[in-house]
Amino acid sequence: MKKILSLVLALVMVLGMVSFANAEAAGMDAWKPFEERVDAINKIIAAGLTDQAPLGLGIPTSAYVQNFSYRDKPVDEAEWAMHSSLGTACFSWEPTKAMLKRKNAEYHMGWYSSEFDLEKDSKGANVDQTQTDLINGKTFEYGGYMAANVDWLKAFYENNPGAEPAVASYYDSVEPGVIDAPVTRSDNPFGMIVGFSSYATEEQLKAAWMLMEWMIQPENLFVLENGVEGVTYNLGENGLPVMVGDYSGPEMLNHNMNIDMTCLVHASKVVGTIEDSIRAIVPQGIPQDFFEGMMGNYNELQEIVAAGNAYSDPIFAVAIESESEYSASLLSLYQEYFAKLIKCDPAEFDALYEQFAQEYLDAGYQEIIDERLEAYEAGKTTKLPR
């Protein structure tokens, strides 16, 4: 029997986000309205297609709160400036409450493990076991970055011969009164923000700038992203590189085709047309070709953009001093509240959230949003797209 799985595979920059799913045995071939998603996943549970909770969930390890689809449309620009952030969890904002309330309902339908908040790595840090569960064929969906060589995807096929995951929408399924249309965080129009230590010497700063100037040269960037011709890639009929997906020798590129280095220039490999770029990061050396599905996902993303439902976080022209002081401790609080709110009795959710939200504001978040609002009103931030 085919495995009932969904792989949510993320691309960045112009390629947006991608997902993969095969749930035909549960009557689900794409992300649909929320009630249909509920019906499909509950059928998986009822049919006993997995011996554990069908979806993976972990304690957040970063401050980014994926609540874009739960925000008002259009979002109030001042609220956006105050709360939308990759650096500080916007816990006390109403969209986060709506997101967590939906997770609470899903948890109580048996979608997530009752021990999701107890999973730790060897150093005692919170860890999401979803990837391991995917490799073992025990989870319905999983998200990860796409590249020509994806270790966990290869391991999945090795452990689950005959499995056929397929592309499905990454974006939140619609639920009237909660999510009326999918919304996504658009990527910044640059690779990465680069910061230098205040203790760096002039020579060190010069060396860093020289490295970036060297890296941005097309011939150097090409080698960094593709490696050695005839070893890590071959040129296709169109003259563009085709990665050797199963190469694991000394010239092997690191994570996502060296993206941790080249993201100083751009956050995803770009070659030729958008079709060429997507083809360049389609996983190789596996039983299936996901190109058509990934192109379909790109087109879906374009529809979201065209509807005006894609935007990024504000960028500030001044330092938000309170973020430096409080962000780390607030992340710890958010992690604690996240688990308690998802597990609590649904009848107690609203009161518990209000209690935690006030505690969060008192712990420093009020100072952060006040300072961010002041910067916005002084014209020291970017604006929402019009």
Side-chain angles (χ1 to χ4, degrees):
M1 180 176 66
K2 295 179 180 178
K3 298 291 182 181
I4 307 305
L5 296 165
S6 159
L7 307 181
V8 181
L9 308 178
L11 303 175
V12 291
M13 293 297 282
V14 297
L15 304 185
M17 303 292 290
V18 174
S19 9
F20 289 77
N22 185 346
E24 61 183 48
M28 176 178 170
D29 57 9
W31 250 226
K32 295 178 178 178
F34 186 61
E35 64 271 15
E36 296 185 34
R37 175 165 163 78
V38 170
D39 181 64
I41 296 176
N42 286 345
K43 283 180 178 177
I44 290 173
I45 296 172
L49 297 178
T50 178
D51 59 4
Q52 63 180 49
L55 300 185
L57 183 67
I59 295 294
T61 56
S62 74
Y64 173 48
V65 180
Q66 298 183 25
N67 64 9
F68 272 72
S69 286
Y70 298 84
R71 302 177 185 183
D72 290 337
K73 302 175 187 64
V75 65
D76 179 88
E77 191 169 71
E79 286 192 12
W80 165 78
M82 292 164 65
H83 297 286
S84 191
S85 174
L86 289 176
T88 303
C90 52
F91 174 72
S92 62
W93 197 16
E94 281 296 308
T96 304
K97 177 182 179 181
M99 180 198 75
L100 292 172
K101 197 164 191 175
R102 181 146 138 175
K103 292 291 185 188
N104 173 276
E106 294 170 350
Y107 173 81
H108 286 283
M109 286 188 285
W111 292 14
Y112 306 117
S113 166
S114 61
E115 299 183 349
F116 76 86
D117 56 326
L118 304 178
E119 296 165 346
K120 308 286 184 180
D121 63 17
S122 60
K123 297 181 181 179
N126 291 315
V127 64
D128 185 351
Q129 291 293 112
T130 312
Q131 184 181 106
T132 300
D133 290 339
L134 169 89
I135 291 172
N136 291 329
K138 293 184 176 182
T139 193
F140 176 72
E141 65 186 23
Y142 178 70
Y145 286 96
M146 285 295 90
N149 191 329
V150 183
D151 289 343
W152 56 262
L153 190 52
K154 290 183 177 180
F156 163 75
Y157 281 109
E158 290 171 0
N159 283 4
N160 302 277
E164 296 182 4
V167 178
S169 170
Y170 169 83
Y171 305 98
D172 292 295
S173 50
V174 296
E175 181 181 7
V178 180
I179 297 175
D180 297 319
V183 180
T184 186
R185 180 187 184 275
S186 63
D187 293 295
N188 296 318
F190 45 79
M192 281 189 116
I193 297 173
V194 180
F196 299 102
S197 168
S198 60
Y199 296 103
T201 66
E202 287 190 16
E203 290 78 10
Q204 290 170 330
L205 292 173
K206 182 178 179 180
W209 280 113
M210 289 175 67
L211 170 64
M212 289 186 284
E213 289 288 346
W214 172 85
M215 186 181 296
I216 204 171
Q217 302 305 313
E219 63 274 16
N220 298 329
L221 186 62
F222 182 90
V223 174
L224 283 171
E225 292 186 327
N226 298 288
V228 181
E229 184 177 1
V231 179
T232 58
Y233 77 92
N234 296 301
L235 290 178
E237 294 180 359
N238 57 2
L240 298 175
V242 178
M243 304 306 296
V244 179
D246 56 356
Y247 179 74
S248 58
E251 296 88 355
M252 179 180 176
L253 279 62
N254 67 25
H255 176 65
N256 282 7
M257 298 179 291
N258 288 344
I259 192 62
D260 287 342
M261 294 183 286
T262 60
C263 61
L264 290 171
V265 181
H266 53 207
S268 184
K269 183 176 177 178
V270 178
V271 293
T273 65
I274 188 62
E275 289 81 3
D276 294 330
S277 294
I278 290 178
R279 176 65 73 186
I281 56 175
V282 169
Q284 303 296 308
I286 59 174
Q288 293 178 262
D289 181 358
F290 290 127
F291 173 74
E292 292 297 333
M294 291 169 69
M295 274 302 307
N297 185 85
Y298 170 78
N299 293 331
E300 179 187 42
L301 176 63
Q302 291 300 94
E303 292 177 6
I304 293 174
V305 173
N309 290 333
Y311 57 91
S312 190
D313 308 295
I315 298 174
F316 290 80
V318 294
I320 306 299
E321 302 291 347
S322 53
E323 290 208 75
S324 299
E325 181 176 356
Y326 296 115
S327 287
S329 58
L330 288 175
L331 175 58
S332 295
L333 281 179
Y334 175 56
Q335 292 170 329
E336 175 188 342
Y337 298 158
F338 182 92
K340 289 180 177 179
L341 285 167
I342 288 175
K343 286 187 164 188
C344 75
D345 186 321
E348 300 173 356
F349 180 92
D350 288 337
L352 193 59
Y353 173 83
E354 295 306 320
Q355 173 192 330
F356 289 159
Q358 188 59 56
E359 291 176 3
Y360 195 76
L361 290 165
D362 294 342
Y365 191 58
Q366 186 68 60
E367 292 184 40
I368 291 174
I369 59 177
D370 287 347
E371 192 174 351
R372 287 169 65 105
L373 180 60
E374 182 181 356
Y376 166 75
E377 292 177 339
K380 301 295 185 180
T381 71
T382 53
K383 303 293 185 180
L384 282 168
R386 299 299 181 186

